[in-house]
Amino acid sequence: MTNLFDPLTIRSITIRNRIGVSPMCQYCYEDGFSNDWQLVHLGARAAGGAGLIIAEATAVEARGRITPHDAGIWKDDHIPPLRKVTRFIKEQGAVPGIQIAHAGRKANTHRPWDGSSPITMDDPQFWQVVGASPIAFADGYQTPQELTAEEIHAIAIAFRHGAERALQAGFEFLEIHAAHGYLLHSFLSPHSNHRSDQYGGSFANRIRFLLEVIGEVRKVWQDHLPLAVRISATDWVENGWTITESVELARLFIPAGVDVVDCSSGGNLPKAPVPVGPGYQVPFSEAIRSTGVMTAAVGLITAPAQADQIIRNQQADIALLGREMLRNPSWALHAAHALRQAPPVPPQYLRGF
Ligand SMILES: Cc1cc2nc3c(=O)[nH]c(=O)nc-3n(C[C@H](O)[C@H](O)[C@H](O)COP(=O)(O)O)c2cc1C
């Protein structure tokens, strides 16, 4: 029976255990450039024993940033500081991953500690946001400019260029962000997509943009490297994107070259009633995994036995932790002790474990 500390091989990459650091925006970058904070933040969790370290939502174009302080990968100059990060993570025996993203209609807001509110037109940090349809995310948010088919294609190419740069920066695991109400999710959901062209209406049309992005990315993301997509498995509202559609989509992912579906939920409607609780998104991972694709489970996974159970019960192939990793960067080392497994302790820390 597979447990949390068994290695996982996807294509030619072997991850030393099933513990991953979920992508988490740090909002502390200038012009998208990685910096010492990112190196130390991700590096500490690699030294802390996690097998997979996924760098946060990293914008494929500048207007696709959630805040002006997001990480970016829209120009070649972004590559060298990211190389430092991937090199250190690999030196610690972990696999460096990155999430490439476009925030769509939820872009151009202040960072959380500056209030998270949308940036107003009179602010020098304002830019026009874009989306599937001219429907604002919530009161006070910008009404996005509806993308034309040509502009949609240009963004798919921007994802491809982002993937190419991620490769050059040394990442070995790539995740396309199609969750949480950001651009790609906003095309999937009938709530945010009211288009009448080939990108709106039917299921086949709403998923078209995401499949085009996957196709562009797979042209450059090498065959021996794993590709993941994070989706919101449900919008949690009537007439929204559903788990049934997520399962349908997952069936199409495998032939498209996607190896892992990272199963999150919500984020596209501000007032959706989300029943948050321990492991509340795990059933989505289990349902999607039944299609044969590998999955990552995420969402209030905090205890070692809980994460181990998810893997043992074959509800997911990877357990991703977000906030618990912020509280405890060495979570994986502690979990190994709790589960009586050999902890991957760096020699510098041996006397502490
Ligand atoms: C500070 C912070 C930043 C986050 N940034 C991202 C992100 O960049 N991309 C993403 O897909 N999810 C992001 N999330 C969501 C997490 O990846 C994770 O899915 C969520 O926090 C639930 O997991 P948890 O209960 O273990 O924290 C963020 C969460 C937090 C707390």
Side-chain angles (χ1 to χ4, degrees), residues 59-311:
V60 297
E61 58 172 33
R63 69 180 167 172
R65 289 171 293 172
I66 304 166
T67 82
H69 303 283
D70 285 20
I73 196 152
W74 67 82
K75 51 187 173 186
D76 291 347
D77 290 347
H78 286 141
I79 297 169
L82 287 170
R83 260 196 209 120
K84 275 174 72 176
V85 175
T86 60
R87 189 169 57 221
F88 186 81
I89 291 172
K90 286 182 209 168
E91 278 167 14
Q92 304 315 310
V95 171
I98 186 169
Q99 187 185 55
I100 54 173
H102 192 301
R105 66 177 183 159
K106 289 175 81 177
N108 199 224
T109 61
H110 290 288
R111 54 186 168 187
W113 56 91
D114 293 329
S116 293
S117 56
I119 293 175
T120 48
M121 214 183 264
D122 53 339
D123 191 312
Q125 300 186 102
F126 176 88
W127 68 79
Q128 174 64 50
V129 305
V130 296
S133 298
I135 305 165
F137 169 64
D139 287 349
Y141 277 73
Q142 275 186 60
T143 300
Q145 187 190 307
E146 181 173 303
L147 290 164
T148 64
E150 291 73 41
E151 289 166 337
I152 290 170
H153 183 62
I155 293 176
I157 304 285
F159 271 94
R160 191 225 297 159
H161 290 317
E164 238 168 347
R165 295 188 186 104
L167 188 68
Q168 287 167 28
F171 288 100
E172 296 178 324
F173 180 101
L174 187 75
E175 177 167 289
I176 295 168
H177 197 349
H180 302 166
Y182 298 119
L183 186 63
L184 295 171
H185 181 184
S186 76
F187 274 76
L188 298 179
S189 171
H191 277 285
S192 40
N193 182 346
H194 290 187
R195 300 177 72 95
S196 53
D197 66 357
Q198 70 270 36
Y199 292 102
S202 65
F203 172 75
N205 282 354
R206 283 180 282 118
I207 65 170
R208 189 181 307 281
F209 182 22
L210 175 55
L211 291 181
E212 282 177 7
V213 167
I214 293 166
E216 288 300 327
V217 164
R218 258 293 167 216
K219 284 182 190 165
V220 296
W221 189 247
Q222 296 182 345
D223 276 352
H224 73 282
L225 295 175
L227 179 64
V229 177
R230 173 167 275 196
I231 61 168
S232 283
T234 175
D235 279 339
W236 293 112
V237 291
E238 292 270 310
N239 305 317
W241 178 259
T242 62
I243 179 62
T244 310
E245 288 181 311
S246 293
V247 170
E248 279 302 296
L249 178 62
R251 284 188 218 287
L252 302 173
F253 276 169
I254 299 173
V258 173
D259 306 296
V260 179
V261 183
D262 177 356
C263 306
S264 189
S265 73
N268 198 37
L269 293 135
K271 293 186 183 132
V274 184
V276 177
Y280 69 108
Q281 294 171 149
V282 174
F284 300 134
S285 166
E286 191 172 12
I288 290 168
R289 197 172 182 274
S290 69
T291 66
V293 74
M294 289 187 206
T295 61
V298 67
L300 283 180
I301 301 169
T302 54
Q306 177 197 16
D308 193 41
Q309 278 294 106
I310 291 167
I311 303 299

